[in-house]
DNA sequence: CGAACTATTACGTCGCGTAATTGTAA
DNA sequence: CTTACAATTACGCGACGTAATAGTTC
């Protein structure tokens, strides 16, 4: 069973007590936020979008290992440029078939291809702008030098 | 004077007649939309944001060469990830370039220095992301190949 | 007449941020 | 009492998309 350095608040305590009772490792919202560097707002938002559905104990959100793994998938999919609505679809085919893994791989390849293309185009535009700005900068410096004479 | 293949609608006709009367090349909203592959909604939106301010003839927007050049700058700035509010500043830099006074020159130099720095950092981040995405992409392809055997 | 433009107004989208307010446990 | 979490509701943002409605010219 995982054990963190500091207890932090009510949810944490609740979580700790449940750890003693159950074999399942359980997380409070703050735990996942800290681990994945996201805000509580983000997790609640994902919940309204049906991406996560943690149990409630006394009104507090309680996440299991599987919720945590799901969140990891969500964030990875987001990092490669997926919309949340797409991610829902993606997670569905993850749970369904034994073929799911190969489908996942194809999905990742497709998404990264698209994002790589986007970034390359962006970089090309940035380089154009850099050249122009440098020209403006240098000619302005030259003009200012001439003025001083 | 530039001449397009097809006349399209009322604004177009108005534009054509003005081309005969004036030396200035003039565009209707549809012309610019087609040329830059953006929607009319986009140009109207930019107008509400103060990025463009075409004349009106009989209620219709009429764009000059300079409006067109400005739009080109806007779209490139946008393509490199600038917010529209930033782009307004950006355009001021281009506008004051070439005008005489020393204070303006110093301002332009200072601003372009800042913008060049920003763009260089942006480019560095893009390259980081590109490397990561390429690694993910390649390892996924490799895994998929292994699966097929 | 319809087709093809144009106009304005205004609500919808996406991924949260940011209060504002309230509750609970230590 | 404070502090440190938790909860919900709801408006804000950025860059438009998308009607809905209406006017014009051919």
């Amino acid at each position: 069973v995982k054990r963190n350095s500091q207890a932090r608040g009510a949810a944490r305590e609740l979580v700790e007590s449940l750890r003693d009772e159950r074999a399942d490792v359980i997380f409070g919202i703050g735990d996942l936020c800290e681990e994945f560097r996201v805000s509580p707002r983000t997790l609640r938002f994902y919940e309204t979008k049906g991406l996560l559905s943690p149990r409630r104990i006394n009104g507090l959100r309680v996440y299991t290992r599987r919720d945590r793994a799901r969140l990891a998938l969500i964030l990875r999919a987001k990092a490669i440029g997926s919309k949340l609505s797409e991610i829902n679809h993606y997670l569905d085919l993850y749970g369904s078939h034994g073929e799911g893994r190969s489908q996942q791989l194809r999905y990742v390849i497709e998404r990264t291809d698209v994002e790589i293309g986007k970034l390359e185009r962006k970089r090309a535009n940035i380089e154009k702008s850099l050249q122009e700005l440098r020209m403006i900068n240098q000619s302005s410096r030259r003009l200012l030098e001439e003025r001083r004479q």
Side-chain angles (χ1 to χ4, degrees), chain A residues 77 80 82 86 90 103-111:
Chain A
I80 64 178
S82 310
E86 292 180 61
Y90 164 69
Q103 284 203 345
Q104 259 189 83
L105 286 176
R106 282 185 214 105
Y107 174 83
V108 168
I109 290 168
E110 186 184 323
R111 288 294 323 151

Side-chain angles (χ1 to χ4, degrees), chain A residues 12-143:
Chain A
R12 185 71 184 194
E13 293 309 312
L14 224 161
V15 162
E16 288 296 336
S17 67
L18 283 170
R19 273 179 193 157
D20 296 339
E21 292 175 13
R22 288 169 164 264
D24 241 4
V25 182
I26 284 181
F27 308 92
I29 193 169
D31 296 327
L32 292 189
C33 290
E34 189 178 357
E35 181 173 358
F36 292 98
R37 316 284 281 168
V38 296
S39 70
R41 179 68 178 93
T42 298
L43 298 189
R44 291 173 192 137
F45 180 69
Y46 290 170
E47 194 172 334
T48 68
K49 293 293 167 179
L51 290 167
L52 292 173
S53 40
R55 285 182 301 154
R56 300 298 189 105
I57 297 183
N58 208 12
L60 298 181
R61 289 171 177 83
V62 172
Y63 301 85
T64 65
R65 289 193 327 279
R66 302 178 66 175
D67 292 322
R68 181 174 162 281
R70 206 176 160 83
L71 175 58
L73 286 176
I74 292 167
L75 294 179
R76 243 193 300 157
K78 197 171 72 78
I80 64 178
S82 310
K83 291 183 203 168
L84 294 190
S85 52
E86 292 180 61
I87 292 175
N88 241 337
H89 196 164
Y90 164 69
L91 290 178
D92 286 345
L93 60 90
Y94 172 75
S96 60
H97 284 75
E99 274 294 302
R101 292 228 176 197
S102 293
Q103 284 203 345
Q104 259 189 83
L105 286 176
R106 282 185 214 105
Y107 174 83
V108 168
I109 290 168
E110 186 184 323
R111 288 294 323 151
T112 49
D113 277 342
V114 170
E115 287 301 312
I116 287 169
K118 278 188 196 171
L119 287 182
E120 283 172 341
R121 266 168 271 145
K122 226 173 210 176
R123 187 178 57 178
N125 280 323
I126 283 179
E127 269 158 18
K128 259 193 203 171
S129 295
L130 270 175
Q131 286 180 13
E132 285 189 11
L133 285 177
R134 282 179 179 137
M135 282 191 52
I136 291 173
N137 188 283
Q138 288 170 18
S139 64
S140 294
R141 286 178 192 279
R142 258 179 255 127
L143 274 173

